[in-house]
Structures are given as C-alpha cells and as structure tokens.
Amino acid sequence: MMHHRNTKIIFTIGPATDTPEMLRALIREGVDICRINMAHAPREDLAGIVSRVREAGKDEGRDIAIMVDIKGPEIRTGEVSEPLQLKAGDLLDLACSEDADEQPDVPLVQVNYPGLINDLKEGSSILVDNGLLRFKVLKKTESRLQCEVEIGGKMGSRRHINLPGTHVSLPALTKKDYLDIEFSVAAGVDFFAQSFVREPEDVESFRRVLSEKGSSARIIAKIEDQQAISNLDDIIRASDGLMVARGDLGIECPYEDLPVIQKRAVTTCIRLRKPAIVATHMLESMIENPVPTRAEVSDITYAVAERTDAIMLSGETTVGKFPLDCVRVFKRIAETTEKLDNVATRVPLDLRNPKSKLVRSAARLAEDVDNASVIVFTRAGNLPQTVSSLRPVGTPIFAFTDQPHLVPQMRLIRGVHPFLIDFAEDGETTIQSAFRLLTEHGYVAVGSWAVLITTVLRRKRLVDGLQLRQVDPQE
C-alpha cells in the first residue's frame, strides 16, 4: 500500500522549476504546495504560472495548492552613485526626506520610509543588508538620523533595513500588494502568505480585503520581527496558519533565540489548531551543491520532529541547480524522522466541546488499531484540522469534501490526504464512494480498518458519531 508522509513540502517556483516538465516531476516527487514569491515574480506573469501549475497537476492526477507570498511593507536604503566603503567608527546620515542636505565629509543615504525618524530613538540599532552592517543612532533631526557605524562593510543601493526591537508604523499592505492581491484573486490562488505581520489587526485588514473581493483563499501570517513574537498567540488566532520566516526573524532576534521561537511557534499552532510552516535557508547549500550539509540535515530533522505541518524550499527551487534533489532530501529526512513520533512528545490540546472530544476519541482509537486510518467528511475543513492537531501516530487522515476550494487548502494540514467527492443524501452511499476511491488508488488495502467520524440525521436532528469499520467497498 501507499506510504503516507505526514510533513508537507512547499516549493517556490522560479526559473529553475517553471517548466511543464519540471512541474510534473516535482508533483510526482510529492510536493504539496507551490509558492509564488511576489517580491520577484511580475504580477503580469501570475496567471500563466498558476495555469501551468494547475495543468501539471491535472496531468499527474494530483492537484497541488498555490500560495502567493505578498511582498509586504519593507524599509530600504535608496540609490547610491557607487558602493560606500564603511568602517567601524565612521559617521553616516540616513535621510528620510529628499530635502535633506549632505553634510561635509559625512555620506548621506536616502531611506524609503519617512516615519523612520519617529519610530527610532537615539541609541537605537539599525541593521542593513541582512545584518551585515550595523549602525547606531547618535542624533535625530527633523529630516535625518545621524548614525555611527558599529559594523562596517560595503553598502550598495536599495539595501534592506531591519530595526530590531523597534515598533514600526508601516501599513500592513502596500499599493503593490493591493495590485498583486487583485491579480492573485483573479487567478484563483488557494493561500496568501502575508509578510511582516506585526499584530492581529494586520491579518484582519487583509481578510477584509479578500472578503470584499469574494475570495475564499486562506491567510498564512509570516512572523519576521520581535513585535510579531510578542503578539504571537493573537496573530495565530487571527490567521489561518503561520510561517516561521527565519530570514528576517534571524536578523531581528538574537540567533540563539531562533530555535526557541520556532519551537514555541509550532507548538502554539498545534495547540490552537492552525497549520505551521518552517521556512528559509533549509537547504541553502544545495542551490549550488548536490548534497546537503550535516547542519542542514539536523535543521530539517528538528523541524519535522517538532511535528510542524510543512517545510519550505525557497532559493533552492527558484534558481538552484538541484530542485528535484532538494525535494527528495526533504522526503527522505521527513519519512525517517516521522518514524520517531511517539505519544509522549505530543502537544496536549485543550478540547472543551463534546464534538472535539469525540474527534480525539477517534484519533486515539485509530492509533490503537493496527494499520488503521481516520476518515472524515467535511465542508469547512475544521474536522481534519482538529484530527491533525492531535498528531495521531502512524495514522493517515483521509478527508473527503464536496467543496472544490477545500481540497488544495487541506494539502497544508499535516498528515491529511484530501479528496473531492459528491456527498449523497444517503450517508452510506458517500462512505462507499470514499472506500472505493481509497482502495482503487492504493491508499489503503481492502479489509483494513478505518475510524469514520460521521454526522447523520436522526429524527430531524444531526447526530455526531464514530464508526469502526473495515474498508470493504460494496458495489
């Protein structure tokens, strides 16, 4: 029978993977979600990319989900005529207004965020170019920040700025984001990853935009700074899932805190029944090399052992030389690490309503029966998410729905295999359809055990129940 991997794999599409042949190969290897990074992808190409991914899924008989990663607000330096060679102790002015005049012997660099002067205090740290350069604010004026270089180096144009520990007043979405969202909704994407989420209101404002456009796409909040960490639980509650974006997060926070933050984020997502994604620099060396480093293997193993829902490839599959090998590495590590799953390390859930407790009973029963699976029928996706958050050991979850948009969205949920079927008025007819699909495609063997979570109509009332049955399709 088919092997069931729990941890989902996300790849980022780019020049290395945006061909029909490569997309089909990636889907055969088992990728679950295609990410489109709007920081690099032109919005005019979006519809074509989505079409190619959908077509490849149809060719392979397995539709994968599509996630658009919105660039979000960011602070960057302006253009410089030639790179600046800075050394510790040098003075540098950052101008937040084009009217600022350059001082004698002190270089002046423009910044694209006028509110920077209001957000920073004297003594604040400014990190530039992914933390390679560090400045300290010595003095503020109406139009500029007078800084001292603490860590020097070469600074070119349009370098990314991080402000560790500083509350910034940037908007949740930019003009570019609104245009990208419009194109993405028209293309019918399944997820949006929202960059630089700092508080739950950022997600709520994004959700209002999607609601106005009639989109059912789900929102994955990316946590990338200390402000997001301080609001972590509320951000998770407001969103449909979380991405631990370790690039900016690793710059904004002390590096020794990063594994702790990652563990807390994944654990909180499980507890609040939301999917978690661990992303960035997972196989960075494989952009150029055919095998991973030992440290990368350990990093991936740690994420899978935490029982995160998904792990993500970025540059490895956009411009890397070995995109298929990266997916294979993810698979091998995930499948090996998942064998170590045990009930002792499971995150306890606070299940208060009777139906949630019934779902927990179903998951535990399936664990106790050899080679059993859990089968759920859903129109909203909540049931499979709850079963998954219980993290049953060695138990695949088969989720059946009659809602087409739910199938790709459930691909993000750990351990869940989603299917689209028609729901008949007679519940047994629907169950038999599910049994036939599972056995004909090799997901389970005829005669194997399954725990079904069902809702049936009894005397004009809906009644929730469990069924322990052998999978034996009847004609």
Side-chain angles (χ1 to χ4, degrees):
M1 287 291 98
M2 187 178 296
H3 177 78
H4 302 288
R5 169 174 43 85
N6 292 323
T7 309
K8 303 305 181 76
I9 295 175
I10 303 172
F11 81 99
T12 305
I13 195 168
T17 45
D18 191 7
T19 65
E21 297 76 18
M22 181 58 76
L23 288 171
R24 289 195 295 268
L26 288 165
I27 292 171
R28 285 195 298 272
E29 284 295 334
V31 297
D32 300 284
I33 298 173
C34 171
R35 170 179 173 256
I36 303 172
N37 186 0
M38 297 311 294
H40 304 293
R43 72 176 65 92
E44 293 78 13
D45 295 348
L46 187 62
I49 294 171
V50 170
S51 177
R52 287 190 291 277
V53 174
R54 299 290 194 210
E55 194 62 34
K58 289 178 183 177
D59 291 344
E60 295 300 321
R62 184 171 176 269
D63 291 334
I64 64 172
I66 297 176
M67 175 188 293
V68 164
D69 197 323
I70 296 298
K71 185 178 181 181
E74 62 178 358
I75 307 173
R76 286 188 178 272
T77 62
E79 298 287 338
V80 294
S81 57
E82 59 183 35
L84 299 176
Q85 295 291 343
L86 301 172
K87 62 181 186 297
D90 285 351
L91 297 179
L92 174 76
D93 284 355
L94 297 179
C96 302
S97 167
E98 295 183 359
D99 298 332
D101 296 324
E102 189 167 350
Q103 302 298 314
D105 302 321
V106 179
L108 178 74
V109 177
Q110 293 287 337
V111 177
N112 70 341
Y113 173 43
L116 189 66
I117 289 179
N118 296 326
D119 291 344
L120 288 174
K121 301 175 182 177
E122 292 180 0
S124 296
S125 291
I126 300 173
L127 302 179
V128 179
D129 203 3
N130 296 320
L132 296 178
L133 304 167
R134 187 173 73 207
F135 310 147
K136 179 182 178 180
V137 178
L138 298 179
K139 186 179 178 181
K140 296 168 53 173
T141 71
E142 290 184 1
S143 61
R144 73 180 68 215
L145 295 167
Q146 297 176 358
C147 303
E148 179 184 2
V149 177
E150 293 188 326
I151 298 177
K154 184 168 71 173
M155 188 174 80
S157 299
R158 296 184 51 76
R159 299 296 90 187
H160 186 58
I161 293 177
N162 292 93
L163 306 171
T166 297
H167 180 99
V168 296
S169 306
L170 286 165
L173 299 169
T174 67
K175 291 180 180 178
K176 169 180 164 51
D177 295 334
Y178 283 109
L179 287 171
D180 290 344
I181 291 166
E182 186 174 339
F183 275 66
S184 301
V185 169
V189 304
D190 307 296
F191 293 97
F192 285 97
Q194 185 179 5
S195 298
F196 301 107
V197 172
R198 300 180 299 276
E199 53 193 9
E201 174 56 32
D202 294 342
V203 180
E204 291 161 3
S205 64
F206 192 0
R207 198 177 299 284
R208 288 192 291 271
V209 172
L210 293 183
S211 178
E212 289 168 2
K213 295 182 181 299
S215 172
S216 61
R218 300 196 172 185
I219 300 171
I220 306 301
K222 296 170 65 177
I223 54 167
E224 303 183 73
D225 61 19
Q226 294 182 23
Q227 189 177 345
I229 298 305
S230 64
N231 294 321
L232 183 64
D233 288 30
D234 289 336
I235 288 172
I236 294 172
R237 290 189 181 95
S239 68
D240 300 307
L242 193 78
M243 182 187 295
V244 186
R246 303 181 306 175
D248 278 280
L249 195 58
I251 299 167
E252 292 272 346
C253 303
Y255 54 77
E256 67 272 19
D257 290 347
L258 192 56
V260 179
I261 293 169
Q262 176 177 310
K263 183 173 181 62
R264 178 191 162 197
V266 172
T267 300
T268 306
C269 280
I270 295 172
R271 181 170 54 83
L272 296 178
R273 289 178 263 177
K274 301 288 179 73
I277 302 166
V278 175
T280 318
H281 299 155
M282 303 207 79
L283 284 174
E284 188 83 356
S285 73
M286 286 189 69
I287 292 176
E288 294 290 340
N289 302 317
V291 293
T293 66
R294 276 67 171 171
E296 287 169 338
V297 172
S298 297
D299 180 34
I300 298 164
T301 299
Y302 181 69
V304 175
E306 289 176 324
R307 299 181 184 178
T308 188
D309 290 81
I311 48 182
M312 193 176 93
L313 296 164
S314 300
E316 301 94 335
T317 53
T318 56
V319 296
K321 296 178 180 178
F322 308 99
L324 279 175
D325 292 301
C326 290
V327 174
R328 292 173 184 134
V329 168
F330 264 16
K331 284 173 57 182
R332 287 177 60 184
I333 295 173
E335 290 169 0
T336 300
T337 305
E338 286 170 7
K339 294 175 184 176
L340 303 176
D341 281 357
N342 63 81
V343 298
T345 59
R346 193 155 46 203
V347 177
L349 299 190
D350 183 18
L351 303 177
R352 301 188 179 186
N353 68 65
K355 185 162 186 176
S356 294
K357 293 180 179 181
L358 180 143
V359 172
R360 180 172 58 195
S361 298
R364 299 297 174 259
L365 176 58
E367 281 183 325
D368 288 342
V369 178
D370 287 343
N371 299 317
S373 58
V374 174
I375 296 177
V376 300
F377 302 91
T378 182
R379 283 196 165 114
N382 297 325
L383 266 180
Q385 180 64 69
T386 298
V387 178
S388 172
S389 296
L390 290 160
R391 296 302 194 253
V393 176
T395 306
I397 305 161
F398 300 115
F400 293 87
T401 183
D402 63 349
Q403 304 296 309
H405 71 277
L406 262 189
V407 176
Q409 291 178 349
M410 289 191 292
R411 290 213 182 275
L412 178 58
I413 307 173
R414 187 183 192 270
V416 171
H417 304 265
F419 303 94
L420 181 67
I421 63 171
D422 291 327
F423 284 2
E425 289 188 13
D426 172 46
E428 183 61 25
T429 300
T430 303
I431 290 171
Q432 290 299 324
S433 295
F435 282 176
R436 281 193 294 273
L437 193 156
L438 292 175
T439 54
E440 288 172 3
H441 290 83
Y443 286 95
V444 300
V446 173
S448 62
W449 289 96
V451 178
L452 283 68
I453 304 173
T454 59
T455 302
V456 295
L457 189 65
R458 290 284 185 271
R459 297 180 181 178
K460 298 183 179 180
R461 295 181 62 187
L462 292 174
V463 179
D464 299 314
L466 300 183
Q467 298 183 33
L468 176 62
R469 297 175 58 164
Q470 287 183 291
V471 179
D472 185 16
Q474 305 296 314
E475 295 299 331

